[in-house]
Amino acid sequence: MDDIVIPDEDLWSFLFERPGGQSDREQAIFVEEVTGRRYSWEDSRRLSLAFADFLYRHWGWCKGDVLAIVAGNTIDIPCCLWGTLFLGGVACPLNPEYKEGELTPLLRRTAAKGIITQAAFYPTVAATAKAAGIPLDRIMVLDDTQSTQHWMLASEEILCSDRPDRLQDLLAKRQASLPHSGDLAFLMHSSGTTGLPKGVMLSHRNVIANLLQTAAVDAVNGPDGPDRTVSLLPFFHIYGITFLINYTLFQSWPTYLLPRFQVEAFCDLVERERITSVYIVPPILKRLLQSSYATRAKLQSVRLLTSGAAPVSKELLQAFDAKFGIPVRQGYGMTECSPLLYLQTREEARTHVGTVGRLVPNMRCRIDLEDTSPVPDAQAEEGEIYVSGPNVFMGYWNPPSHSHASSADSPLTQDNFYPTGDIGYQDPVTGHMVLTGRAKDLIKYSGFQLAPAELEGVVLQHEAVADAAVVGVDTGAGDGSEVPRAYVVLKDQCIDLGGLEKELQDEIADFVAKRVSGYKKLRGGVVFVKEIPRNAGGKILRRVLLDS
């Protein structure tokens, strides 16, 4: 696919100031199913400006200040993101299910100047804010619209057409701190292999590039008219931010927000609103396939499903298409790449089942063949995937300097390629990529990444545990999901359990569950072993544990 031109501007300018960028400014872009609220393109622009006005006047916002967003999916999140970026601020979405022990170090490390949350998460957020040194008056509760710490009340004057001076003052503030395309826009978090999640720095240019790269692939699908989609992905994840917030506004696609995926609610919405395109994670495919409520008739308006975050088996993809007559295209990416790297067209979803598509425009790839061997029956060799392009991140957040890593610690190679940690091979003729494994230790569960080292640190806090290793165990569902299992060496005094092994295993699993987010629970169980296998350098040999 030919390379594309990426404009040298910030994300706000790209989305809201493009000449002819929005033909119908009053068309609903975001619709919240639970409340019935809906925001048009113009509503989104005005409310984003109001949020920026609040940050400027009430929190003294400056360029580079970090806003932490600890909330579930709501129609107001996009406006908070865009309002922050308008002033040159940095948006830092965090998983609202994080426990206090998980959230506190992240807030400290990001040096967040304020927090956006919801009433359901306020107790945890308030406790972590105090521990991180953030004043309570720097917390805004989105669903408390009567509070003076809410932008719709505190900055409602800027929404009134009879106060042009207020808007001009805000525009002058933006000009004084105008963000550039290379400035930091989003501080995302991706599970590293050595403990706390890493802060992934994405610039305005990174995000804009990925929107245009995606649009170039979608243009191949043909002139079917504007799509209508459903928001099923979390807004704290780059998959949701790129495709369900920024891309839908860029393409003027009406997007219907569901608070969570339920088969019946999803099918009813698709049928009623004539939904045409849906971004999903693999477990949703399986639930729809297994449900008797989901029928071809209810989903007949859907032209395409796009699956990401984890690979899907060829058998599951073919079974889904056979039941519903809907092609499921796969994509491949990661937080560090904004996130998209490879993507199938709608036609390729059927002609190249089992691949993740071809490189998006402006990208380069190479396969590191070290410690690998030729792929049987293929004119390609598998190895670790290295990528380079305009959507590849700036680096990892590196406090206290608040800048990307130094050249000595850079995650990129000397020729600016990023090692993805994934193993695959690329067809030398068609360019289609097939993923075959991972070089990194990360566990993927329902589209989330889990760091074994983080869970091992929690397991080791239990008084009976002397040593531990956590590995991912394939669920066998064909949807790419793994569940974490802990292999535990007990302290000497706990070895003779007298038939109470199961009770202690359950106790350790419960101990972990109380200290981590729900998706990090030890769903693979706890297994007692005599020792944790390690190599000469002390690295855990996880494959040995699985094979045993």
Side-chain angles (χ1 to χ4, degrees):
M1 189 171 289
D2 294 336
D3 281 353
I4 56 177
V5 176
I6 300 169
D8 184 22
E9 59 187 352
D10 69 294
L11 187 58
W12 173 272
S13 300
F14 176 77
L15 292 175
F16 291 100
E17 297 178 0
R18 284 181 301 133
Q22 179 68 26
S23 58
D24 184 357
R25 295 192 169 200
E26 301 304 327
Q27 171 189 303
I29 297 294
F30 297 105
V31 181
E32 198 166 65
E33 277 293 290
V34 173
T35 64
R37 292 191 300 157
R38 54 182 58 217
Y39 291 162
S40 66
W41 183 94
E42 181 61 24
D43 293 331
S44 299
R45 187 189 72 85
R46 292 170 63 245
L47 287 169
S48 297
L49 290 173
F51 184 74
D53 182 73
F54 174 88
L55 292 178
Y56 167 42
R57 295 182 183 279
H58 296 266
W59 287 1
W61 214 253
C62 296
K63 184 176 182 178
D65 285 346
V66 176
L67 178 74
I69 301 173
V70 188
N73 283 19
T74 169
I75 198 172
D76 296 314
I77 294 295
C79 299
C80 295
L81 295 176
W82 294 324
T84 303
L85 299 181
F86 177 87
L87 291 176
V90 179
C92 178
L94 296 166
N95 189 339
E97 298 300 330
Y98 276 158
K99 301 293 179 66
E100 185 176 339
E102 298 170 297
L103 190 57
T104 300
L106 296 182
L107 289 178
R108 284 175 176 161
R109 189 173 65 184
T110 59
K113 192 170 182 178
I115 309 174
I116 302 299
T117 190
Q118 292 165 303
F121 310 113
Y122 182 80
T124 298
V125 168
T128 56
K130 183 178 180 181
I134 301 173
L136 293 183
D137 63 3
R138 287 299 179 92
I139 300 174
M140 180 190 293
V141 181
L142 289 174
D143 42 2
D144 181 11
T145 55
Q146 300 307 308
S147 169
T148 56
Q149 284 292 339
H150 197 286
W151 94 90
M152 287 188 186
L153 179 64
S155 293
E156 61 182 347
E157 286 184 340
I158 202 170
L159 302 177
C160 301
S161 58
D162 59 348
R163 287 297 307 273
D165 58 316
R166 186 80 172 255
L167 177 58
Q168 290 304 314
D169 188 28
L170 182 63
L171 293 175
K173 168 64 177 176
R174 169 173 161 80
Q175 287 301 316
S177 56
L178 188 66
H180 302 290
S181 62
D183 288 343
L184 180 60
F186 291 97
L187 182 57
M188 308 301 298
H189 282 84
S190 176
S191 293
T193 57
T194 56
L196 281 176
K198 294 181 179 180
V200 177
M201 298 171 31
L202 298 177
S203 69
H204 292 261
R205 177 177 170 80
N206 290 152
V207 177
I208 292 171
N210 217 217
L211 297 178
L212 291 171
Q213 289 166 327
T214 304
V217 178
D218 281 347
V220 178
N221 292 329
D224 294 319
D227 276 305
R228 303 168 70 82
T229 191
V230 180
S231 173
L232 300 174
L233 309 173
F235 285 173
F236 62 81
H237 195 287
I238 189 59
Y239 190 8
I241 287 177
T242 294
F243 294 107
L244 294 177
I245 293 181
N246 292 318
Y247 192 63
T248 52
L249 184 81
F250 171 61
Q251 294 284 38
S252 301
W253 292 358
T255 302
Y256 295 81
L257 277 67
L258 285 175
R260 65 190 62 84
F261 177 77
Q262 295 175 319
V263 172
E264 294 81 0
F266 171 76
C267 291
D268 291 345
L269 174 62
V270 169
E271 186 176 30
R272 184 180 73 247
E273 300 297 342
R274 309 297 298 165
I275 300 299
T276 60
S277 179
V278 188
Y279 291 90
I280 59 167
V281 290
I284 291 177
L285 280 181
K286 189 171 184 184
R287 288 181 62 182
L288 289 171
L289 193 58
Q290 294 175 337
S291 171
S292 59
Y293 192 83
T295 63
R296 183 177 287 227
K298 286 185 175 295
L299 304 183
Q300 64 178 333
S301 63
V302 179
R303 298 191 289 251
L304 181 67
L305 294 185
T306 300
S307 178
V312 185
S313 69
K314 182 183 296 186
E315 293 74 20
L316 183 59
L317 294 169
Q318 291 171 331
F320 192 92
D321 198 358
K323 177 179 178 179
F324 298 108
I326 302 172
V328 183
R329 68 171 175 178
Q330 290 201 83
Y332 163 58
M334 57 200 59
T335 305
E336 286 85 348
C337 298
S338 308
L340 191 64
L341 292 170
Y342 285 79
L343 183 63
Q344 294 177 323
T345 64
R346 185 168 58 195
E347 179 182 355
E348 290 167 348
R350 284 178 168 144
T351 60
H352 292 77
V353 181
T355 80
V356 293
R358 294 173 291 163
L359 271 175
V360 296
N362 299 62
M363 292 298 298
R364 292 183 296 157
C365 167
R366 74 164 185 244
I367 305 294
D368 186 344
L369 302 178
E370 183 179 359
D371 296 328
T372 60
S373 57
V375 179
D377 303 320
Q379 294 183 352
E381 291 182 299
E382 72 174 8
E384 184 173 0
I385 302 166
Y386 282 64
V387 293
S388 177
N391 52 313
V392 177
F393 72 140
M394 303 165 65
Y396 292 114
W397 184 258
N398 186 28
S401 65
H402 298 173
S403 63
H404 60 77
S406 66
S407 58
D409 301 321
S410 173
L412 305 182
T413 62
Q414 290 186 344
D415 53 352
N416 287 321
F417 274 80
Y418 173 65
T420 66
D422 290 309
I423 305 296
Y425 62 91
Q426 184 168 289
D427 188 300
V429 177
T430 66
H432 283 267
M433 174 66 74
V434 177
L435 301 179
T436 58
R438 285 201 299 278
K440 294 181 179 178
D441 291 330
L442 294 177
I443 300 168
K444 285 195 173 183
Y445 172 72
S446 291
F448 293 100
Q449 292 190 137
L450 292 73
E454 180 186 2
L455 287 174
E456 287 158 2
V458 178
V459 174
L460 286 168
Q461 294 174 26
H462 191 280
E463 60 182 6
V465 177
D467 198 2
V470 174
V471 301
V473 181
D474 194 330
T475 63
D479 59 6
S481 272
E482 300 171 313
V483 291
R485 173 185 293 169
Y487 289 84
V488 169
V489 177
L490 296 174
K491 293 179 179 177
D492 290 343
Q493 65 268 30
C494 302
I495 291 179
D496 185 11
L497 296 175
L500 298 177
E501 289 88 351
K502 180 66 166 60
E503 285 78 359
L504 183 54
Q505 287 168 336
D506 291 344
E507 179 185 318
I508 293 172
D510 290 342
F511 177 86
V512 173
K514 292 175 181 177
R515 289 162 174 78
V516 299
S517 306
Y519 69 92
K520 299 179 185 177
K521 293 180 181 179
L522 296 174
R523 288 178 169 82
V526 175
V527 177
F528 294 142
V529 294
K530 292 183 178 180
E531 65 176 356
I532 301 298
R534 288 180 166 84
N535 64 14
K539 182 178 180 180
I540 296 173
L541 301 175
R542 302 182 196 277
R543 178 53 57 187
V544 174
L545 288 169
L546 283 174
D547 291 344
S548 65

